[in-house]
Amino acid sequence: MFPRYTSSFGTFEHSYPLTDGVSAFMPPQGLLLLAAYLPEEWQVKFVDENLRLATRDEFDWAEAVFVSGMHIQRQQMNDICRRAHAFDLPVALGGPSVSACPDYYPSFDYLHVGELGDATNQLIEILSRDTSRPEQQVVLTTKDRVPMTEFPIPAYELADVKKYMLGSIQYSSGCPYQCEFCDIPGLYGRNPRLKSPEQIIAELDRLRECGMTDTVYFVDDNFIGNRKAAMDLLPHLIEWQKRTGYVVRLACEATLNIAKRPEILEKMREAYFITIFCGIETPDPDALKAMQKDHNMMVPILEGVRTINSYGMEVVSGIIMGLDTDKPKTSDALLAFVEESQIPLLTINLLQALPKTPLWDRLEREGRLIEDDGRDSNVDFLLPYDDVVASWKHCMGVAYEPEKVFARFQYQCDHTYPHRLKMPVPDEMKTWRNIRRGLVMLRNIFWKVGVLGDYKRVFWKFALGRIKRGDIEGLIGCTLIAHHLITFARAASSGKQNASNYSIRLREASVPAE
C-alpha cells in the first residue's frame, strides 16, 4: 500500500479537477518494483491511497501488508499500520523514510532498511514460512543490493496509470555530489548504479501497454550523475520515440551544469525531453559555496537556464529559503531572480535538515536542531524564525500572482517551446478517445477558470493568444500547472500550507484516512 501525500506544492492536486480523471501525481516506483520482485505464486494487490482508500475486503483478503513512503508521509504510513493491525496483519515498511530513520516507526512488524537486496529476500523467506505477527519488531538491513541490471520491470499493470498525472521510470540510483542538505548520497551512494538501456526501453513499452501516453518522468536523483551512461541511453530513447511516433514526452532531474554539455542537451531534445528539474536552490554564489553546490556555478545561473531553454526544455527549479547566508533582503533578490529567469515553476521551500545529511550533522553539533512539530522547519535559523516564514509567504504571494505566472508561461511559449522538435500529430493521438479527452479538459478549464475563476481576465488573455496560434496543447498544459501554482501559493501566503515539503507540522490535510 502506498500512503497518501500531504498536500504539497509538487503534487499538483489543484490541477486534477481540470483534467479528465487524474487523481494522483506519479505511480510509486518502489512498491511496484517490489510487487514485480515477489514470488510468482504470491497473489499481489496494489493500493495507492492517493487514488482511493484500501477497503475492508482488501484487508480481509490480505495475509501481509507492504508499505513504502517518504518522511512527509510518516503520519499516513503509521495510520496504514494501525488499520492493518486491526485485522491482525503483519506490516512491513520499506523506502527512503524508514531507511533514514528506523526509529520513526516503532509500530511496524518488519522494517526493511536499505534498497532491494538480501534484506528483501530475508523478508520474503520469513513471510513464506509464517504470516503471523512477530512478538517484537524485526529489522532487516540490506547489505548486498540487487544490481539494477537485474531489476524486474515494475508491475505497472497493477497501477491504473491513466489516473496519474505523470508516468515514472528509474534509470539510476545515487548521485556523485554532496550537497549539504541532500540525503541521497547517504542513502544510495555517490557512485550511480544503472539499469541497461534495454531495460529502460522495455519499461517504457510496458508503460505504453498499460495506457500511459503523456509525460514520463525519470525519477533519478540526477539524470547526468553518470554522463557517459546518459549519452549511452539517449540514442536508445531517440530510436524508441521514432518507433512509437513521439507520443510520449520525457522529463527528468539534473544538475544545472548540464548546460555545459550541449552534446547531451541536443540528444535530449531529439529524445523529446521537455522539462528538466534543476536544484538551483539559490541565486546567491556565497550560499551555493556554503552548501557545497559549487557545480551550480560552473556556468552563470541565468545563462544556464537560457541555454537549456534554447534546446526546447523548460526549467523547473528548486529554491531554498532560511539558509545561513540569507539576509533580510534575500526575498527581494529571489523575486528578482524569478523575474529575470522567467522560470514558471519554482518550488520554494524553507530549509529542513534531513537525517543522513551533512546539514543535519553540522546543525546537531551546533545545537541548532529543533524538535517541534508546530514549526515549519527543524532548523534554528540565524535570522528570526518569524521573519524567515514571513519572507517565504511574501515570495509565494508575489511570485505566483496570476499575472506573473501566466507572463512566465507566455515567455516559455515564445522563447522555449518553439525550439522543440516539430512533429506531426501521430495517428494514435487522433482517436476519438483522445479528442474527447482534450475536449473534457477544455470544458473544465473554460468553466472552472474562465467562468468561475477570480483571475479569468488574466486567463483569457493568455488563452486567446494560444487559441489564435492553434496551440491548444499549450493552452491546456500551461493552465493546468498555473492553476495549481496560483491556488497553492494563495494558501501558502495565508499560512494554510507548510513552508517546507519536508515539514511534519500537523495540518488538517494530513489527518488519518477514515
Side-chain angles (χ1 to χ4, degrees), residues 329-347:
K329 295 290 187 181
T330 289
S331 60
D332 295 336
L334 176 54
L335 290 172
F337 170 75
V338 174
E339 193 77 22
E340 287 183 272
S341 69
Q342 292 295 312
I343 296 173
L345 200 175
L346 304 96
T347 61

Side-chain angles (χ1 to χ4, degrees), residues 213 425-438:
T213 58
V425 178
D427 291 340
E428 182 178 328
M429 304 301 289
K430 298 175 184 176
T431 62
W432 168 242
R433 178 184 173 278
N434 200 59
I435 294 170
R436 180 183 177 279
R437 183 174 175 235

Side-chain angles (χ1 to χ4, degrees), residues 408-419:
R408 297 201 297 273
F409 272 116
Q410 185 62 55
Y411 177 91
Q412 300 300 314
C413 290
D414 294 339
H415 300 281
T416 299
Y417 306 160
H419 296 294

Side-chain angles (χ1 to χ4, degrees), residues 147-387:
M148 290 190 73
T149 51
E150 296 177 15
F151 277 18
I153 296 176
Y156 296 119
E157 67 277 3
L158 297 179
D160 190 352
V161 299
K162 294 184 290 298
K163 289 190 177 294
Y164 290 92
M165 192 165 189
L166 301 174
S168 63
I169 196 166
Q170 182 182 20
Y171 177 46
S172 66
S173 176
C175 181
Y177 299 108
Q178 286 187 296
C179 305
E180 187 186 39
F181 57 84
C182 184
D183 60 355
I184 296 304
L187 287 173
Y188 306 119
R190 295 187 61 196
N191 186 22
R193 301 157 61 230
L194 303 156
K195 293 178 182 174
S196 69
E198 291 75 19
Q199 285 175 284
I200 296 301
I201 298 306
E203 289 190 26
L204 287 169
D205 282 335
R206 182 67 57 82
L207 272 170
R208 293 244 308 137
E209 290 167 8
C210 294
M212 174 55 66
T213 58
D214 291 326
T215 301
V216 174
Y217 195 96
F218 279 80
V219 298
D220 307 52
D221 309 305
N222 184 1
F223 185 72
I224 59 165
N226 183 321
R227 291 189 292 271
K228 180 182 182 304
M231 281 298 288
D232 289 342
L233 172 64
L234 286 166
H236 293 267
L237 294 178
I238 293 168
E239 288 306 309
W240 181 80
Q241 290 282 33
K242 290 177 179 177
R243 169 165 63 85
T244 57
Y246 285 88
V247 173
V248 172
R249 298 177 168 209
L250 303 176
C252 69
E253 300 182 18
T255 41
L256 188 63
N257 59 358
I258 194 173
K260 295 280 286 183
R261 298 287 174 172
E263 71 281 7
I264 293 179
L265 291 172
E266 181 53 44
K267 292 294 183 187
M268 290 178 72
R269 177 180 177 273
E270 290 182 52
Y272 220 23
F273 278 83
I274 61 164
T275 304
I276 302 180
F277 180 99
C278 294
I280 290 175
E281 319 311 355
T282 173
D284 181 358
D286 292 336
L288 290 170
K289 190 170 184 179
M291 68 173 68
Q292 299 178 49
K293 196 142 189 173
D294 304 62
H295 46 277
N296 267 13
M297 295 186 288
M298 289 180 66
V299 59
I301 291 177
L302 290 173
E303 181 184 320
V305 172
R306 295 285 183 266
T307 298
I308 294 170
N309 290 162
S310 73
Y311 288 88
M313 286 174 274
E314 183 179 305
V315 173
V316 172
S317 171
I319 296 291
I320 301 174
M321 299 183 72
L323 301 168
D324 284 0
T325 49
D326 279 5
K327 304 172 182 64
K329 295 290 187 181
T330 289
S331 60
D332 295 336
L334 176 54
L335 290 172
F337 170 75
V338 174
E339 193 77 22
E340 287 183 272
S341 69
Q342 292 295 312
I343 296 173
L345 200 175
L346 304 96
T347 61
I348 307 173
N349 280 301
L350 285 195
L351 182 67
Q352 179 87 358
L354 300 178
K356 291 191 179 294
T357 63
L359 176 65
W360 176 283
D361 296 339
R362 176 172 69 82
L363 295 180
E364 189 173 46
R365 288 193 305 270
E366 297 173 4
R368 293 175 55 202
L369 289 176
I370 297 178
E371 292 187 20
D372 181 353
D373 290 354
R375 284 172 51 103
D376 275 304
S377 171
N378 61 355
V379 176
D380 182 9
F381 303 122
L382 296 184
L383 293 174
Y385 171 78
D386 289 342
D387 291 354

